[in-house]
Amino acid sequence: MPKGVTGLSAGPTRPVLRSRDAGGRGWAVLAPYVYLVPAAVVLAAFVYWPLIETVNLSFYEWNLVSPSKRFVGFANYRELLTSQAFWTSVVNTILAILAMSLATIAAPLAVAVAALRVQGVVRLIYRAVIFSPTVVSMAIASLIWLWIYNPIQGLIAHLVRLVGGQGFAWLTDPQLAIWAIILVTAWKTFGYNFVIFVAGLLSIPRELMDAARIDGAGEWHTFRHVTWPLLTPTTLFVVLTTLMLAPQYLFIPTQILTQGGPNQASNNLGYIIWEQGFEVFRVGNASAIAVAIFVGFLAFSVMHFRLLERGVHYEA
Amino acid sequence: MRIRGRWIVAVLGILAATLAGGMATAQTKIEYYHINTSTFGGPTVAKLVKEFNEKQKLCVASDKFQAGAYGGLTTALQVAAAAGRPPAIAQISYRLLRYASETFGPTPIDRVAAGEFQAVADTYHPSVLKLGQLKGMYWGMPYALSSPVMYYNPDLFKAAGLDPNAPPKTWEDVVRAARTIKDKTGKFGLYIQMDDTWPMTWFLYGLGGQWLSEDGERAQVNTPKAIKGMEFWASLVKDGLHPMAKNDEAFPSFQASNVGMVFTTIARRNLFETGSKFPVKVGELPGFAGLPRKVPAGGNVLMAFAKDSQERACGWALIKHLVSPQGITEWVKGTGYISSLKDLDKDPRYLGNLFAELPNMRPAYAQLPYVVPEENWPKKGLQIEQILIEARDAILLGQVDAKTGMDRAQAKIEQAMR
């Protein structure tokens, strides 16, 4: 082959290859961002933009339809500091989170461990009975409990009267109302966490527990040193989802059973935003509450995740 | 070329025919917001709207139920208005008339109706027509008209040794009857509806008071009469005659013979008559002994919110259908509301046989001369309702005495109205 031909053929090929290399590298750098665009647009439109707009609205007094908003600076935040309804909601939400931690994390774990010891058809029946409230909608669950709670002729009042007592005004007693809502929420969510724990327990290799027992470990030590460490990723998932979702779960039973009453006694952070924003149309006040909750939960989540991550054991 | 030309002519012809057909069948769609549940007039609303759609071809109306009574409907309306899509017409509570007219920018109904307003207005009881009027303007056509009444259980009355044909006439009589029922049967004597502030107004008006100053601009919820009204209600709870319960708990309990008397709107007549284990009887709302009777009207007006002229015209056509003698006849029979049209109960074509068919309607009509409109809050009506409900709860629960509760409510309302 003549030199010139080789030179000619080799000459222009190199720059083309370089150009393709550069383009390929450029695309390789850009591609992840391009693929992220659809999700980013949706997130920006439905999460970040409302978030920014909520912060903005928290500095105004506005009823959602008036053409003019009145700028009030930090007045909505100052009002929160002295608002009895807001602080009652904060306390009730913390109570709900603590109670839900026991009722829908510790209790389902204990029941899951116990249920796995039962064999045969009984085990299936247990699981079905415990899981069934999960498939009922929260609205229907609330209506069922409305009947159970009825202080005049509800199921609980009937049973209490059988033993000579008086029915409790669950929904209109300021001491009981929030617990009535927590109970409905826990009843509804218990089964879901139970099934997650059962799945987590079943995924633990049987031979590890057998080995522990051969080494002389009793039931408690086997659970403490084998089952529990291997169950911690499942527990982390259950804890985080429960604690993050608990305030949201309270909304429907609150709306159906008490509307935050009596005299704000059962109000909570999920409900009070809706009440302020869409019942009395104090959009600025509702936004200030939402911003306060966002900041509070952000700090709580970071702290919580860091603390919990330390105790989590993932299988190698 | 000739063939191509024919094709073009044919295509244009088809296009023109399609467009013409489309124009001929173009219908204006409108929405009608209402509060009527499936057990509280919902099927009647659906039937009336269906009849409207069948009798004309220019408009297609759809009825949109809004949960949460008038508060819930106002919420939905506020959200729809914020989104720029208000319904053509909606039921607005009499006591939220001012709030709605100042907040949502409705078109006054006499302007919507143009030349037809007077003819429709002439069919109304003059006192009822005024319920849709505010500061000299007609904002809506009064539609649902209710008054609070006393439902009672004649079997429990008999069991307690009371005369079921002589229901209590005054609140003092009511307390005596309730105490007798409690003592003789062990059941609760009475229950007063608790989903809104209406009963607070019954007591206040019955004692000769009012919520607002004479000029209608300042709140006065802590007057001696307002406090006395709340003291009276709280005493019923404190004495164990009245359960501290929600409507959803107390109404089924009344139907199951566990409560002797229930005080609520006549519009629940159908619900109680069809769902109770005994033949429900109705009495008039009592007054206080020695004081003139005043019965605050409940119910709603139909207001027009559409921005588009065609939708407004369709909205008015639907209103005309709903408040026609035939429409009101169906409405009254299907719900339990009182007729807002005059002389309908004397016309055999409409409600002439009403009392023979529905004798429990008689007390609601008998107290019509005492019916008065409720005052409208000048500003922040929804917020003020919420403040009063919180005050009511605190007082009935015994957390505060009536004076403290109403003083606090007054302070909060003044703050809200600033």
Side-chain angles (χ1 to χ4, degrees):
Chain A
M1 188 179 283
K3 275 183 183 177
V5 173
T6 308
L8 281 174
S9 64
T13 307
R14 281 179 187 151
V16 169
L17 280 175
R18 270 200 301 274
S19 162
R20 278 185 186 163
D21 280 352
R25 277 198 301 276
W27 173 244
V29 171
L30 274 178
Y33 300 102
V34 172
Y35 292 141
L36 277 174
V37 165
V41 166
V42 172
L43 272 176
F46 293 104
V47 177
Y48 298 118
W49 169 245
L51 193 66
I52 293 163
E53 188 58 19
T54 301
V55 175
N56 179 40
L57 283 173
S58 70
F59 297 110
Y60 287 89
E61 185 184 310
W62 188 43
N63 70 355
L64 207 63
V65 287
S66 169
S68 61
K69 302 172 198 164
R70 192 164 72 92
F71 182 77
V72 293
F74 285 92
N76 289 321
Y77 290 96
R78 279 197 297 274
E79 188 183 324
L80 288 192
L81 295 175
T82 56
S83 163
Q84 192 194 341
F86 173 70
W87 289 109
T88 303
S89 300
V90 170
V91 170
N92 282 343
T93 306
I94 292 170
L95 272 181
I97 288 173
L98 293 175
M100 295 277 281
S101 301
L102 279 177
T104 65
I105 299 172
L109 173 61
V111 175
V113 171
L116 284 181
R117 290 172 187 279
V118 182
Q119 297 299 321
V121 181
V122 182
R123 179 194 280 199
L124 293 175
I125 293 171
Y126 265 124
R127 282 195 217 171
V129 168
I130 292 168
F131 188 70
S132 57
T134 307
V135 298
V136 178
S137 80
M138 190 61 102
I140 299 295
S142 302
L143 289 172
I144 292 169
W145 281 89
L146 181 66
W147 169 71
I148 293 173
Y149 285 144
N150 188 320
I152 308 165
Q153 56 179 35
L155 181 65
I156 298 174
H158 184 68
L159 294 174
V160 171
R161 282 203 192 93
L162 282 180
V163 294
Q166 281 287 324
F168 301 111
W170 289 91
L171 305 179
T172 49
D173 184 324
Q175 309 299 326
L176 294 177
I178 185 64
W179 295 106
I181 289 169
I182 291 170
L183 183 56
V184 177
T185 313
W187 177 77
K188 170 80 175 70
T189 48
F190 183 96
Y192 178 75
N193 288 355
F194 165 79
V195 167
I196 300 284
F197 276 125
V198 167
L201 287 167
L202 289 174
S203 70
I204 295 172
R206 183 90 193 158
E207 55 269 26
L208 292 177
M209 286 190 246
D210 291 341
R213 287 197 188 98
I214 290 166
D215 288 344
E219 287 295 332
W220 168 247
H221 279 93
T222 307
F223 178 80
R224 171 75 183 81
H225 298 290
V226 180
T227 310
W228 175 248
L230 293 173
L231 199 61
T232 45
T234 308
T235 309
L236 176 68
F237 170 77
V238 170
V239 167
L240 283 180
T241 52
T242 302
L243 298 189
M244 289 297 110
L245 295 175
Q248 295 176 42
Y249 286 152
L250 296 174
F251 179 83
I252 295 173
T254 307
Q255 167 72 341
I256 291 176
L257 297 176
T258 67
Q259 295 87 45
N263 192 19
Q264 299 287 348
S266 65
N267 216 337
N268 50 75
L269 291 175
Y271 189 77
I272 196 171
I273 294 177
W274 184 85
E275 182 192 77
Q276 289 297 307
F278 299 104
E279 269 210 332
V280 298
F281 292 99
R282 301 187 66 205
V283 174
N285 194 266
S287 300
I289 297 172
V291 172
I293 293 173
F294 173 72
V295 172
F297 268 78
L298 188 67
F300 174 73
S301 305
V302 170
M303 185 182 69
H304 206 248
F305 194 79
R306 285 190 177 173
L307 282 175
L308 283 175
E309 267 286 301
R310 284 183 197 166
V312 175
H313 301 265
Y314 294 102
E315 276 186 274
Chain B
M1 278 301 284
R2 190 177 292 172
I3 291 172
R4 191 179 295 168
R6 280 179 190 165
W7 269 106
I8 290 169
V9 168
V11 168
L12 286 175
I14 290 168
L15 269 174
T18 308
L19 282 172
M23 297 278 278
T25 56
Q27 291 177 310
T28 303
K29 291 181 179 172
I30 58 166
E31 289 184 335
Y32 165 32
Y33 280 15
H34 67 91
I35 60 148
N36 300 98
T37 62
S38 59
T39 57
F40 184 35
T44 306
V45 172
K47 183 167 176 264
L48 286 164
V49 169
K50 185 166 177 272
E51 286 169 3
F52 171 73
N53 288 335
E54 285 170 356
K55 81 174 188 184
Q56 50 75 47
K57 296 292 171 206
L58 292 175
C59 315
V60 179
S62 56
D63 62 297
K64 300 282 181 188
F65 165 69
Q66 304 299 336
Y70 293 115
L73 184 142
T74 312
T75 300
L77 180 58
Q78 197 135 343
V79 172
R85 297 178 52 82
I89 63 170
Q91 297 176 350
I92 300 294
S93 163
Y94 293 127
R95 67 173 175 276
L96 292 172
L97 185 63
R98 182 166 177 177
Y99 179 81
S101 64
E102 288 175 354
T103 309
F104 304 124
T107 310
I109 204 71
D110 49 353
R111 204 182 303 161
V112 174
E116 294 180 320
F117 175 76
Q118 201 52 50
V120 176
D122 287 344
T123 63
Y124 274 73
H125 287 289
S127 59
V128 175
L129 188 65
K130 283 184 184 164
L131 295 172
Q133 198 182 29
L134 203 64
K135 293 184 178 173
M137 293 179 79
Y138 286 103
W139 287 102
M141 293 310 293
Y143 185 45
L145 177 62
S146 74
S147 63
V149 292
M150 171 181 61
Y151 296 89
Y152 65 100
N153 180 334
D155 296 347
L156 272 184
F157 266 54
K158 271 187 226 163
L162 298 165
D163 181 358
N165 295 314
K169 296 282 185 207
T170 65
W171 283 112
E172 292 80 358
D173 292 342
V174 167
V175 175
R176 275 190 287 277
R179 207 176 295 284
T180 307
I181 290 169
K182 177 87 178 168
D183 293 344
K184 296 279 174 63
T185 67
K187 311 283 187 179
F188 284 104
L190 81 161
Y191 176 79
I192 296 166
Q193 72 165 47
M194 288 189 69
D195 56 346
D196 56 23
T197 59
W198 201 26
M200 297 172 82
T201 310
W202 308 345
F203 297 128
L204 179 67
Y205 286 12
L207 289 162
Q210 53 188 48
W211 291 123
L212 290 163
S213 57
E214 285 303 323
D215 63 2
E217 296 301 320
R218 284 177 297 110
Q220 47 180 37
V221 306
N222 60 345
T223 57
K225 285 170 182 165
I227 292 166
K228 193 174 173 189
M230 288 311 298
E231 278 172 349
F232 172 73
W233 195 354
S235 71
L236 301 174
V237 176
K238 192 180 170 195
D239 292 351
L241 306 176
H242 180 307
M244 223 12 225
K246 297 162 60 60
N247 284 6
D248 294 336
E249 296 173 323
F251 290 168
S253 302
F254 171 70
Q255 291 175 302
S257 291
N258 287 315
V259 179
M261 297 170 270
V262 161
F263 295 82
T264 184
T265 167
I266 183 63
R268 291 204 164 90
R269 176 196 52 76
N270 195 32
L271 170 73
F272 285 139
E273 283 183 347
T274 54
S276 300
K277 293 179 176 175
F278 54 89
V280 174
K281 295 194 82 170
V282 176
E284 293 180 36
L285 184 78
F288 286 96
L291 291 172
R293 286 181 69 194
K294 277 186 182 175
V295 180
N300 60 59
V301 291
L302 296 170
M303 287 177 80
F305 297 97
K307 301 296 173 203
D308 173 77
S309 61
Q310 191 58 37
E311 285 184 24
R312 260 202 308 269
C314 283
W316 171 246
L318 177 57
I319 289 175
K320 267 198 306 179
H321 174 71
L322 295 174
V323 303
S324 66
Q326 187 57 42
I328 291 290
T329 300
E330 290 181 39
W331 176 241
V332 167
K333 287 185 176 175
T335 55
Y337 283 114
I338 304 165
S339 165
S340 46
L341 305 189
K342 64 186 173 192
D343 300 332
L344 221 57
D345 52 322
K346 296 182 183 74
D347 190 330
R349 289 174 300 165
Y350 303 115
L351 296 170
N353 295 322
L354 181 69
F355 299 145
E357 288 173 25
L358 305 168
N360 277 335
M361 291 295 285
R362 194 181 290 275
Y365 280 81
Q367 65 188 13
L368 267 181
Y370 309 106
V371 165
V372 292
E374 269 196 280
E375 293 156 285
N376 269 253
W377 297 104
K379 287 179 196 169
K380 313 269 180 79
L382 295 173
Q383 199 181 334
I384 292 169
E385 291 261 317
Q386 180 69 25
I387 292 168
L388 286 176
I389 284 173
E390 287 171 17
R392 176 204 66 191
D393 286 350
I395 294 165
L396 296 190
L397 286 164
Q399 292 175 323
V400 292
D401 59 50
K403 181 168 184 341
T404 309
M406 297 312 275
D407 280 346
R408 286 182 188 169
Q410 174 73 19
K412 285 185 189 173
I413 291 170
E414 282 175 8
Q415 170 95 20
M417 286 170 70
R418 261 180 221 150

